Amino acid sequence: MMVNIQEGHASKKDLSRLKWQVVLVISTWTVLLISLLAWSINNINDEMLGLARLEAIANFNKDQAFRSWATIHGGVYVPETERTQPSPYLSHIPERDLTTPSGRKLTLLNPAFMLRQLMEDFDELYGVKGRITSLQPLNPNNLPDEWERAALLAFEDGEQEVFEVTEINGQPFLRLIRPMLTTEGCLKCHAFQGYQVGDVRGGVGVAVPLDKYLSVASGRKQRLLAISGVIWLVGMGFIWVGGSRSRQRILERIEYEKNIWHQANFDSLTGLANRELFMDRLDRALAYAKRDSHKLALIFIDLDRFKDVNDTCGHAVGDKLLEQAARRLEQSVRHMDSVSRLGGDEFTVVLPEVNDEASAAVAAKHILGQFSAPFEIDGHTNYLSASIGITIFPNDGTSSGELLQNADVAMYQAKLNGRDTYCYFTAEMTQRAERRVNLESELHQALKNREFELYYQPIFSMNDHVLAGAEALIRWNSASRGQVPPDEFISVAEDSGLIVPIGKWALEQSVKDMAMLDRSDLPLQWLSVNISTMQFRDKEFAVQLTDFLRSHPHMHQRLSLEITESVFMDEHGDPARQLKILQENDIRISIDDFGTGYSALGYLKRFPVNSIKIDRSFVHDISTDTEHASLCEAIIALAHNLNLQVIAEGVETDEQWHFLQQNRCDYAQGYLMGKPMSLSDFIQFAR
C-alpha cells in the first residue's frame, strides 16, 4: 500500500523547539544561580577580608596610639634585664643609661623597642603579629622583605595602606601595613638619619590570623550552597513541570492533528483511504507514470446487492460486511497498491505499475476470488459478489477524474453483464453512460411535464373467473423517445431517487382512476399499487398516505400496496410501525415477487400481511419443471396455513391456470387473462 504521511509536522517542530527551550531555560537557570552563588561567595570573602582588615586596622591604631604615647614621653626608662638590655642603637644619646640614688641601673627604651615587645606579647596572647620596618632601619632586624619594600616605596608615592592574604608558618593571615610618619618626638632618635617632621620613616605592619574568619565564611558558604541547591532543585522542578505540561499539550495537539488528518483522509469504518486521499494518491501515481512512461491501472469495485443485505439484515451487519470486504481487498493486492473506499459499497484499487492490461485482469480475478468465500457475521453466513470496472492509463484517460469516471462506467457495464465479473472500459460504454445520464435528465422533465401514464393489468379470481382487481403499472410516454418500457427507466429512477416522487404520483393517480372506474359502473374489489422500498423507508409514508385517503372514501378497504420482502427486514425504516398504521386504516399489504429475495418466513407471521404474489419466474415453468411446481405448491400451502391469499403473476397458458387452480391458488394475472392496458382500454375490457 502506498503510504502518505503528512500529519503533525508543525507540532513536531514545536516539540523539538520545546526541547531546546527547556535546555535553554535549564542552562539559564543554572548559570544564573551559579552567578548569584559566585557573587554571594565573593561577597562573603570580601566581608571576611573586610572584617579581618578592620581588626588589623584596630590593632594598627592601637600600636600607633602606644607609639604616640611613648614618643610624647621620649621613651621609658626600665631596669636593665636580660630582655631589656641597653640598646646599641641609642648609644648616641648621652642619657641612655641612668643610675638611681638607690643604685638601680636603668636604660632608655625608645618607642619602637617598646612597641616591638608589645607586638611580641600580643602575638603570644592573641596570635596577632606586628612588625615595624623601614628602608633605613636602625635595627637590621627591621629590614623589609620584598612585599614590605614595595609597600614602603608606595608610601613615598602617596599610598596610605597596603594589604594581602598570605600564609605564615602554613597558616592564613591578612597582612596590613600603613606608613609611619616622622613626628617631633621621633627626631631625638632619628634626626641624625636626615628625617624631618612629616617624612615617611617606615611602616607598621599587622598580620591578623584568618582561621576564625575562614571558619565563619565556610559555614556561611555551606549554608549558601545548600540553600542554592534547594532553590536550583525547586526551579528545576518548576521547569520540569512546565516543560512536561507543555510537552503533554504538544503531544495532545500532535495526536489531535493526527486524528484530524486521519479523519480527513481515511474512512472511519474500514480504515481505508477515503475519496480525498485516494484522489491525491492517484494524482501522484499518474505523475510518476507520466514521468517514467509506464502504465497504470485503476480498478473500481462495487459490491453486488449490498443494499439488499443492508436493508434486510440491518446497517450493523452491513458495516461489518464492509469491514470484512475492506480486509479482503487489502489481502488481494500488492503492498505497493492503494486500496480506498469512495463511500457506500464502492471501493477503488490503484495499481501504480502494470506491464499490460492483463495484469489488471489478474488483480480483478484475485479480488473476485476473495469475494467468492462466504462472509461470516454474527453467526450468519452472507454471500456477496462484486462488479469491477477497469481503466488503463494512458489508454482510457490521462487525468484522475477521467480514469475514475471511465472506471465507474466499466463497473456499471459489469453489473449489466450479470455481476460477479470485471469489465474493461470501452468508448461504447461512455455512450451508454451518457444515454443513462440523459435518461435521468429526461425523467426529471417527464415528471414535470406529466408524461407518465398508468396501465392496468386485470387480476381474476380463480374460483369463479371473475375480475376481482387490477395492478397499476406505470408507463412513460416520452415526448422525444415515444413509449419507453419500464425496464429501461425504472432502474434509473431507483438509482437517482426519482422513484419516490414518481411512486407518489402513481399512487395518487391510481386513486383518481379508481374513482373513474366506479363512475363507469365497473367497481373492482381492490386496486394494487407497487411501492418501492425507498418510498416505504420514509417514516412519514404511512401517515401521509392515510391522510390522503381520508379525502377519498371510495378507496376504503380497496387499496392494496405491493411491497418487496426487503421492506420487512429494514430495521431503520421501522416497518412494524408503518404496517400497523396501514392495517388500522384498512389498507391491504401484498408481498410482491415472493421467494426471490432474502425470504424470512417468520416475518409473514409477525407483520400484518394480506396476500403474497408468486413471482412469474416460478409460474413460467410449473407445467414442465417439477421443482418450480413443488415450490408453487409449497408457497400456496404456506400462505393458506397463515390465512393469506395467493396471487400468481405471469400466467400465460391454460396449463399454468389449471395447475394453479388445482392447487387452490386464489387469484391470477397474466397475458392469458389480459395484458396491461390504458385506463380507457381497461374499461372497455372490463365491459
Side-chain angles (χ1 to χ4, degrees):
M1 301 274 304
M2 293 186 298
V3 180
N4 186 4
I5 302 176
Q6 300 177 352
E7 69 267 15
H9 293 310
S11 293
K12 289 181 179 178
K13 289 182 179 178
D14 290 342
L15 199 60
S16 178
R17 188 181 300 113
L18 175 65
K19 176 182 176 181
W20 288 110
Q21 287 175 346
V22 170
V23 171
L24 179 61
V25 171
I26 291 175
S27 301
T28 303
W29 175 245
T30 303
V31 169
L32 178 61
L33 270 186
I34 291 176
S35 300
L36 290 174
L37 182 62
W39 179 77
S40 299
I41 290 175
N42 186 67
N43 284 345
I44 291 174
N45 291 334
D46 289 344
E47 184 180 357
M48 177 269 298
L49 289 176
L51 292 174
R53 177 175 171 273
L54 289 177
E55 183 180 356
I57 291 173
N59 281 279
F60 173 83
N61 291 335
K62 169 183 64 65
D63 292 342
Q64 287 294 90
F66 179 79
R67 186 178 70 83
S68 177
W69 176 86
T71 300
I72 292 173
H73 292 285
V76 176
Y77 285 95
V78 296
E80 291 184 16
T81 64
E82 183 178 355
R83 189 180 181 193
T84 56
Q85 293 293 322
S87 174
Y89 309 112
L90 299 179
S91 59
H92 62 284
I93 299 176
E95 62 270 20
R96 183 191 72 176
D97 299 314
L98 297 176
T99 302
T100 67
S102 60
R104 293 184 64 190
K105 291 184 178 182
L106 301 177
T107 186
L108 179 66
L109 293 183
N110 65 347
F113 187 89
M114 289 188 293
L115 181 58
R116 191 176 298 110
Q117 285 196 344
L118 179 66
M119 288 177 175
E120 291 175 357
D121 292 340
F122 213 80
D123 182 15
E124 291 180 4
L125 292 172
Y126 306 109
V128 178
K129 300 180 183 299
R131 177 169 167 76
I132 299 175
T133 186
S134 175
L135 293 174
Q136 302 179 47
L138 294 176
N139 187 344
N141 292 330
N142 293 341
L143 282 172
D145 57 22
E146 292 183 6
W147 179 79
E148 291 171 333
R149 177 178 294 278
L152 293 174
L153 292 174
F155 294 155
E156 291 183 355
D157 293 334
E159 192 71 42
Q160 297 299 314
E161 178 182 284
V162 177
F163 68 92
E164 71 167 354
V165 176
T166 185
E167 286 190 359
I168 300 176
N169 299 325
Q171 298 297 319
F173 277 81
L174 173 67
R175 294 180 68 186
L176 180 141
I177 186 170
R178 284 187 171 186
M180 182 173 58
L181 302 179
T182 302
T183 63
E184 188 69 33
C186 297
L187 295 177
K188 181 178 180 180
C189 299
H190 299 282
F192 75 95
Q193 292 179 296
Y195 288 111
Q196 296 181 2
V197 175
D199 291 344
V200 176
R201 194 177 76 251
V204 177
V206 178
V208 177
L210 295 178
D211 288 343
K212 60 181 180 180
Y213 293 103
L214 293 177
S215 177
V216 172
S218 177
R220 291 178 61 184
K221 290 177 183 178
Q222 289 179 3
R223 289 194 296 273
L224 181 61
L225 285 171
I227 294 172
S228 298
V230 171
I231 293 175
W232 184 82
L233 289 175
V234 170
M236 290 297 295
F238 280 110
I239 294 172
W240 178 260
V241 171
S244 297
R245 290 182 178 177
S246 298
R247 182 175 182 274
Q248 182 63 31
R249 285 194 295 269
I250 293 174
L251 290 176
E252 289 174 356
R253 188 164 71 249
I254 291 175
E255 187 65 24
Y256 174 76
E257 290 175 356
K258 285 177 61 179
N259 292 335
I260 292 298
W261 185 86
H262 194 276
Q263 292 172 8
N265 293 277
F266 288 87
D267 176 50
S268 60
L269 177 63
T270 63
L272 298 178
N274 62 13
R275 178 180 288 271
E276 287 73 17
L277 185 55
F278 156 71
M279 295 301 294
D280 178 71
R281 290 178 174 178
L282 181 57
D283 287 338
R284 290 172 180 267
L286 280 174
Y288 292 135
K290 292 175 182 177
R291 184 193 65 186
D292 300 333
S293 299
H294 60 67
K295 292 186 176 183
L296 174 148
L298 174 62
I299 296 178
F300 193 104
I301 304 142
D302 186 90
L303 304 184
D304 297 329
R305 299 187 180 89
F306 171 76
K307 185 175 180 297
D308 294 336
V309 176
N310 203 38
D311 290 342
T312 56
C313 300
H315 290 285
V317 172
D319 289 347
K320 293 180 180 179
L321 195 150
L322 289 174
E323 291 181 63
Q324 289 192 22
R327 301 291 81 77
R328 293 191 185 188
L329 282 175
E330 290 180 315
Q331 296 168 5
S332 303
V333 299
R334 302 169 299 179
H335 180 73
M336 64 186 297
D337 302 330
S338 177
V339 182
S340 307
R341 181 191 178 202
L342 299 188
D345 59 342
E346 295 179 341
F347 299 86
T348 58
V349 178
V350 178
L351 307 178
E353 295 182 13
V354 292
N355 297 324
D356 48 38
E357 296 181 1
S359 300
V362 171
K365 290 178 182 178
H366 197 186
I367 292 172
L368 293 175
Q370 286 284 342
F371 279 82
S372 63
F375 291 80
E376 300 293 338
I377 300 175
D378 297 336
H380 298 283
T381 301
N382 296 271
Y383 292 90
L384 206 64
S385 60
S387 296
I388 299 176
I390 302 173
T391 50
I392 305 295
F393 167 83
N395 304 7
D396 303 326
T398 57
S399 68
S400 55
E402 189 177 6
L403 285 174
L404 180 61
Q405 180 179 351
N406 292 340
D408 187 15
V409 171
M411 179 277 296
Y412 183 74
Q413 184 60 46
K415 284 191 178 295
L416 295 180
N417 292 346
R419 297 184 174 90
D420 194 21
T421 187
Y422 66 90
C423 186
Y424 283 99
F425 170 78
T426 63
E428 295 178 358
M429 294 180 186
T430 302
Q431 297 174 359
R432 285 195 294 268
E434 289 177 354
R435 288 197 295 268
R436 183 176 177 85
V437 172
N438 292 335
L439 184 63
E440 180 179 336
S441 177
E442 291 179 22
L443 276 174
H444 280 279
Q445 292 298 320
L447 188 61
K448 181 179 179 180
N449 298 333
R450 300 179 180 275
E451 295 178 1
F452 294 108
E453 180 184 4
L454 289 182
Y455 273 40
Y456 294 92
Q457 186 173 27
I459 300 175
F460 284 86
S461 169
M462 302 200 74
N463 291 331
D464 50 17
H465 298 258
V466 173
L467 178 62
E471 179 181 0
L473 301 169
I474 195 167
R475 295 293 184 267
W476 178 16
N477 298 314
S478 172
S480 58
R481 297 172 179 265
Q483 189 81 0
V484 183
D487 292 345
E488 291 188 16
F489 71 86
I490 290 297
S491 61
V492 177
E494 289 178 341
D495 292 340
S496 64
L498 285 173
I499 195 67
V500 174
I502 291 174
K504 181 180 180 182
W505 172 86
L507 190 59
E508 294 176 354
Q509 186 62 42
S510 64
V511 171
K512 296 176 183 178
D513 290 348
M514 192 71 163
M516 183 176 290
L517 289 171
D518 290 345
R519 289 194 297 271
S520 301
D521 296 326
L522 296 172
L524 300 178
Q525 295 180 25
W526 80 89
L527 180 65
S528 294
V529 181
N530 289 282
I531 302 297
S532 70
T533 303
M534 188 179 298
Q535 199 174 354
F536 192 87
R537 190 173 291 153
D538 183 358
K539 294 184 179 182
E540 300 301 319
F541 169 75
V543 174
Q544 293 174 357
L545 177 58
T546 54
D547 290 343
F548 171 74
L549 292 179
R550 288 193 183 96
S551 59
H552 299 83
H554 68 282
M555 294 300 297
H556 182 65
Q557 295 185 341
R558 299 172 69 192
L559 178 62
S560 178
L561 302 181
E562 294 192 8
I563 57 180
T564 59
E565 295 168 86
S566 61
V567 166
F568 299 101
M569 290 170 275
D570 181 11
E571 61 180 21
H572 295 279
D574 197 5
R577 185 184 69 86
Q578 298 263 53
L579 293 171
K580 182 179 180 182
I581 294 174
L582 297 174
Q583 181 190 43
E584 291 173 349
N585 287 273
D586 298 317
I587 298 174
R588 297 164 56 89
I589 301 297
S590 179
I591 302 179
D592 195 14
D593 301 331
F594 184 81
T596 61
Y598 295 87
S599 301
L601 301 180
Y603 289 120
L604 296 178
K605 186 175 181 181
R606 287 177 51 197
F607 296 107
V609 177
N610 302 100
S611 60
I612 59 177
K613 294 187 74 172
I614 303 177
D615 187 69
R616 66 180 68 249
S617 61
F618 299 133
V619 174
H620 184 267
D621 297 326
I622 55 176
S623 59
T624 57
D625 189 321
T626 57
E627 290 185 359
H628 280 193
S630 299
L631 183 58
C632 287
E633 291 176 5
I635 292 174
I636 295 171
L638 171 66
H640 287 167
N641 286 333
L642 295 174
N643 295 321
L644 303 178
Q645 294 180 328
V646 182
I647 305 169
E649 59 181 359
V651 179
E652 298 177 353
T653 65
D654 290 331
E655 289 80 4
Q656 294 169 351
W657 174 278
H658 291 308
F659 176 87
L660 293 169
Q661 190 178 47
Q662 290 173 1
N663 284 278
R664 297 187 302 135
C665 183
D666 300 298
Y667 300 95
Q669 68 180 97
Y671 283 10
L672 179 64
M673 292 78 70
K675 296 181 179 181
M677 58 196 81
S678 65
L679 179 62
S680 58
D681 290 343
F682 184 80
I683 293 175
Q684 289 294 331
F685 171 83
R687 285 176 175 169

